[in-house]
Amino acid sequence: MVKKVIQVPMDGDLLDRLDRLSKKQQRSRAELIRDACRAFLRKTETEEMDRVYQEGYEKYPEDPEAGMPAALMMAEILEEEPW
């Protein structure tokens, strides 16, 4: 994958902390920034999926009776377990 060089203004304290971590982990500053961006994107995508999931349940609430057959079946199965 071709990497593109970008410029990101950063305050001095944040840059110092990033450089200290970079030295401590023996990784480049750019690698740390890329990893942080990936983590932020994963977190944001997960939060968006959670939001959509919640909106779906609010729009179409689950019928409590719908889960009853499965709960009864699981109770029978678990009762037979030797633990």
Side-chain angles (χ1 to χ4, degrees):
M1 175 190 308
V2 176
K3 293 186 175 111
K4 295 184 180 184
V5 176
I6 62 168
Q7 290 184 343
V8 178
M10 192 174 297
D11 66 66
D13 180 58
L14 182 58
L15 185 59
D16 290 343
R17 292 171 59 197
L18 187 60
D19 285 341
R20 284 194 302 272
L21 182 61
S22 172
K23 287 177 186 173
K24 183 178 179 180
Q25 293 188 356
Q26 297 180 349
R27 298 167 61 199
S28 70
R29 180 194 301 162
E31 185 180 2
L32 292 178
I33 293 170
R34 283 191 298 270
D35 286 349
C37 289
R38 285 186 197 102
F40 177 76
L41 289 171
R42 276 192 307 272
K43 178 181 178 283
T44 302
E45 290 164 357
T46 299
E47 288 171 351
E48 175 65 10
M49 287 188 293
D50 288 346
R51 185 191 62 74
V52 169
Y53 186 77
Q54 182 176 352
E55 285 178 2
Y57 265 99
E58 289 172 358
K59 189 173 182 178
Y60 303 104
E62 186 177 281
D63 178 8
E65 296 296 318
M68 190 55 69
L72 293 172
M73 185 173 66
M74 287 305 298
E76 288 178 19
I77 292 170
L78 291 175
E79 189 176 279
E80 295 173 2
E81 288 294 317
W83 42 336

